[in-house]
Amino acid sequence: MWRRAAVAAAGRGLRGMAGRRWRSGAGSPDRAAAERAPRIYTRTGDSGFSSTFTGERRPKGDRIFEALGATDELSSAIGLAGEFSSEKGHTFVDQLHKVQCMLQDVGSNLATPLSSAREAHLKRTSFSEKPVLELEQWIDSYSEQLPPLRAFILPSGGRSSAALHFSRAVCRRAERCVVPLVQAGEADPNVAKYLNRLSDYLFVLARYAAMKEGKEEKIYIKPEP
């Protein structure tokens, strides 16, 4: 799980080390390189607590970290779907990359609970409605190219399509984690809106990928009693 607070701390550490120069006799180049590189582990979470961007220490089971974890999983799922789609030459791969970047901004907003945020925090982590409107434009564009939906579609239609369906399901879970934060006044409502539209986008894109690859979409067939 990423946190803007952790990123900011890492940035400060890198800036602090940027001015250091390895000197002859001060140790090996390998050791100097090790000293310059920040450690991945911090041990600050060993007691079961983690930090928000505002500096709060909260239990790792806090719903903020649940939402952050779900959003991180979503970005990973989309990354996998993007790799499968890239292998097939789909032109929407760049959109998926942009979505992953937007999910970083989603995470920044979630990691900045409004109850403890100062103005300086809000300026850096605000989330506007513009990305929501962009998703709606993408959804409309792909929907116009698809055949009518006449049955319940099961996740299928080739690897690209199935991976996009999986991403959609993860997105729904991320949305369910975020909504309570929005309702509690801890996160921006536009974040929940973005995730809601994103799941619709991923559904439409899964159908589009199957169509472009000539793959069959499996439909629900009610079992006979």
Side-chain angles (χ1 to χ4, degrees):
M1 187 199 322
W2 79 94
R3 296 189 300 275
R4 176 64 72 89
V7 173
R12 288 194 297 272
L14 286 172
R15 287 195 297 273
M17 289 182 283
R20 300 177 187 171
R21 300 175 62 183
W22 178 76
R23 298 186 301 275
S24 177
S28 68
D30 288 343
R31 179 178 179 181
E35 290 176 351
R36 287 196 299 270
R39 289 178 175 175
I40 296 300
Y41 59 90
T42 64
R43 298 179 178 144
T44 59
D46 289 354
S47 60
F49 288 79
S50 194
S51 298
T52 67
F53 180 46
T54 58
E56 286 185 85
R57 295 289 291 173
R58 296 194 180 197
K60 289 190 174 184
D62 189 277
R63 56 189 180 183
I64 284 179
F65 299 125
E66 288 286 347
L68 281 169
T71 307
D72 191 19
E73 289 180 49
L74 172 58
S75 181
S76 298
I78 290 175
L80 180 62
E83 290 300 314
F84 287 151
S85 301
S86 180
E87 292 174 359
K88 293 295 185 178
H90 289 297
T91 57
F92 56 72
V93 172
D94 288 342
Q95 291 181 350
L96 293 178
H97 178 252
K98 186 172 185 179
V99 166
Q100 287 183 291
C101 292
M102 290 308 308
L103 289 175
Q104 291 291 122
D105 292 339
V106 166
S108 296
N109 187 272
L110 295 175
T112 311
L114 298 180
S115 61
S116 59
R118 297 189 298 274
E119 187 63 28
H121 295 130
L122 298 177
K123 286 182 179 180
R124 295 178 64 181
T125 62
S126 62
F127 196 90
S128 73
E129 190 181 19
K130 183 178 178 181
V132 179
L133 299 177
E134 182 175 50
L135 281 178
E136 291 178 351
Q137 293 175 352
W138 292 352
I139 292 169
D140 292 341
S141 175
Y142 290 117
S143 295
E144 292 172 356
Q145 305 175 58
L146 293 173
L149 187 61
R150 304 188 186 281
F152 188 89
I153 294 175
L154 302 176
S156 56
R159 291 202 303 176
S160 301
S161 179
L164 288 165
H165 275 296
F166 178 73
S167 299
R168 171 189 56 79
V170 177
C171 187
R172 287 295 192 192
R173 177 158 55 83
E175 181 187 3
R176 292 194 299 272
C177 290
V178 167
V179 166
L181 295 176
V182 172
Q183 293 173 338
E186 293 281 48
D188 194 305
N190 285 324
V191 169
K193 290 180 183 178
Y194 184 80
L195 293 174
N196 180 272
R197 299 304 187 281
L198 179 56
S199 62
D200 292 334
Y201 165 75
L202 292 170
F203 175 75
V204 170
L205 202 61
R207 296 197 64 213
Y208 179 80
M211 181 188 72
K212 295 296 286 186
E213 294 179 21
K215 301 288 187 178
E216 180 184 2
E217 293 180 295
K218 296 180 181 178
I219 64 172
Y220 166 73
I221 300 175
K222 186 175 179 61
E224 297 183 2

